[in-house]
Amino acid sequence: MSYNKTKTDPELGQKVHEHLVKMGVETPTTPNKLVRTDKIHIIEGHFKSIMETMGLDLSDDSLCDTPKRVARMYVNEIFWGLDYEAFPKCTAVDNKMKYNEMVCERNINVQSNCEHHFVVIDGLATVAYVPNQKVLGLSKINRIVEYFSKRPQIQERLTEQIFHTLQFILDTEDVAVMIDAQHYCVKSRGVEDTGSSTVTSKLGGGFKSDPAARAEFYQLARKQ
């Protein structure tokens, strides 16, 4: 999904950023004051140079707009998760019903890009938590996964970022995250292994300390 400025919470995003820095799992970035239009303009120029260096004819009607298309795609579609102004609204309500069992969201779409080669990471995430004082709107879990997917990533850090963000927002240690994904840096280049996938997980609270809770989560995560 492309960046949607109507469903964002920049203030929460800044708090999440500070928390991830504290936890040592923030994406390596350097601050700049470039707005989206500036970024698109600069990336367009650089990508035009790359294409020209490769010997492509940018006067061709099929290629002439590619630098602009790529620049817009980078900023507004596949890497908008670098911008904490775009952090999603995360509506939580008081746990008035005293619900204290697992809430599990399965088969959450993960579409990211490997930070080593800028090619696709494609897979599914399972996220679970046991409510303490707050219950999070279900779609917000999907949006958090999507947000951190929309930046250059390695799967290990992506898993950590989702985990620590949910612990922070929900104020509970009882969070579990698992991602099963294919990496096109493995699939379409290098070793060219088309059948393998990478599984990462991060467990906290009861999911880590209670063998029964741990087993239940992994059983749900692996269930098709």
Side-chain angles (χ1 to χ4, degrees):
M1 185 181 297
S2 298
Y3 163 66
N4 185 340
K5 65 181 180 181
T6 67
K7 297 181 179 180
T8 61
D9 188 341
E11 183 177 351
L12 177 59
Q14 183 59 35
K15 292 177 181 177
V16 167
H17 165 64
E18 292 169 1
H19 180 66
L20 296 185
V21 170
K22 179 180 177 181
M23 301 308 296
V25 297
E26 183 57 286
T27 300
T29 58
T30 55
N32 62 48
K33 297 182 179 179
L34 298 173
V35 299
R36 287 175 177 272
T37 52
D38 293 335
K39 292 177 181 179
I40 290 170
H41 177 71
I42 293 168
I43 293 169
E44 179 184 351
H46 286 308
F47 204 79
K48 179 180 179 182
S49 296
I50 289 171
M51 293 179 67
E52 289 173 339
T53 301
M54 293 173 64
L56 293 167
D57 180 4
L58 270 74
S59 67
D60 185 89
D61 61 355
S62 181
L63 297 174
C64 62
D65 291 329
T66 296
K68 181 172 290 186
R69 282 193 292 264
V70 170
R72 288 174 175 169
M73 177 185 69
Y74 275 11
V75 175
N76 293 329
E77 296 180 44
I78 65 175
F79 296 138
W80 60 263
L82 289 168
D83 182 3
Y84 276 100
E85 292 288 313
F87 193 82
K89 289 181 180 178
C90 290
T91 307
V93 298
D94 292 338
N95 186 16
K96 304 182 190 71
M97 67 291 295
K98 305 299 181 183
Y99 186 82
N100 61 359
E101 298 292 336
M102 184 193 308
V103 177
C104 184
E105 188 83 3
R106 298 189 303 145
N107 298 326
I108 302 170
N109 184 48
V110 173
Q111 285 193 345
S112 190
N113 283 263
C114 166
E115 67 184 41
H116 296 149
H117 296 94
F118 274 41
V119 292
V120 171
I121 300 171
D122 185 24
L124 296 171
T126 298
V127 176
Y129 75 100
V130 177
N132 183 13
Q133 300 299 317
K134 299 177 183 178
V135 176
L136 188 64
L138 292 180
S139 70
K140 310 311 176 188
I141 296 174
N142 303 63
R143 292 187 185 281
I144 289 170
V145 172
E146 179 191 35
Y147 174 79
F148 287 110
S149 297
K150 296 304 182 183
R151 53 173 67 180
Q153 278 289 16
I154 59 173
Q155 189 171 319
E156 296 88 342
R157 186 193 301 122
L158 173 59
T159 306
E160 293 271 357
Q161 289 174 342
I162 296 165
F163 172 83
H164 287 293
T165 296
L166 284 168
Q167 281 192 331
F168 177 76
I169 291 173
L170 288 165
D171 192 23
T172 179
E173 295 294 312
D174 298 325
V175 172
V177 179
M178 189 176 98
I179 298 175
D180 185 349
Q182 288 193 318
H183 292 243
Y184 279 68
C185 58
V186 174
K187 187 174 182 176
S188 65
R189 57 157 304 281
V191 70
E192 295 185 0
D193 187 333
T194 61
S196 66
S197 69
T198 300
V199 178
T200 52
S201 63
K202 179 76 173 181
L203 308 179
F207 289 107
K208 192 172 184 68
S209 62
D210 182 350
R214 183 187 185 100
E216 182 183 3
F217 171 71
Y218 280 128
Q219 182 180 28
L220 286 171
R222 291 171 178 142
K223 187 176 181 180
Q224 297 298 319

